[in-house]
Amino acid sequence: MKIIANFKMNKTPFETKEYLMNIVPKSKDFNQEIILCLPYTSIAIGKFMTEGTSIKIGAQNLCEEEEGHSTGEISGRMLKDAGVSYVLVGHSERRSKFKENSKALNKKIKSALKNGLNVILCVGETLAERNTLKTAQVLKDEIEEALKGLYENELENITIAYEPIWAIGSGKTLAVKEIDMAAGIIRKVITNDFSPSAGENISIVYGGSVNSKNVGQISKAKKINGLLIGGACLDESSFLQILSTTNH
Ligand code: PGA
């Protein structure tokens, strides 16, 4: 199982160090693949402190360009060289607050893959879309636009994070049945666009208000391969609780 922590814009490098002093020594007790998506400024300390452990370091965004005139941006090549192995692409906060469109997301994914990074592509519907039964269409469109032009073998390096936008940071979660239904839709899209084995093998995680109390229930979903956790990963004891509940 993959457990991905999204720190969002939280923790300074010093705070990240303090956090990792509590997490790293215990990480060997867990079998999951733990991925910490840190703010850019915490990547160096994160990489240093997790050296020799199975914890992987992720970033939360990358620039679609390789280098040059993009003040304030960070490229895939820079992330790779900094020791990053995963990068979130298309988180709903990037799509809505920073107006990242599907064309840019497609370029970001291609740049990440070219630089040897694993991509965590975030997709999910709004509440209005859900209420008007558009979830399947939204997932299909978001996935197809983002993965346009990719080869089937590149899917090995892609994880799709299903995050209903209305469930992010809201305390609202989906029933296990609904999570499996959405994961089923995603697998079908991949099957139709690539192949049945690609649909079966694509890695899917669920995210949206997962916490130490509901994680036992949510992780019963059978069609997902892990979880993406925001708010509840920031507190060490809550994150450790999530790790021990999902440690099978
Ligand atoms: P949340 O965030 O767990 O705080 O809902 C998840 C995410 O946005 O990745």
Side-chain angles (χ1 to χ4, degrees), residues 1 3 11 26 34 39 73 114 116-117 137 146 170 184 226 247-248:
M1 187 175 215
I3 301 287
K11 297 198 190 290
K26 301 199 175 84
I34 303 171
E73 290 291 305
K114 184 177 160 201
L117 297 167
Q137 191 61 45
S170 64
N247 195 30
H248 305 301

Side-chain angles (χ1 to χ4, degrees), residues 8 89-102 105 122 124 126 142 165-166 168:
K8 308 196 179 189
V89 172
H91 188 279
S92 70
E93 289 154 16
R94 302 266 353 141
R95 291 179 194 255
S96 62
K97 282 192 184 175
F98 302 97
K99 310 283 174 252
E100 290 188 358
N101 59 35
S102 49
L105 298 179
C122 303
T126 62
E142 287 187 342
I165 293 169
W166 50 275
I168 295 175

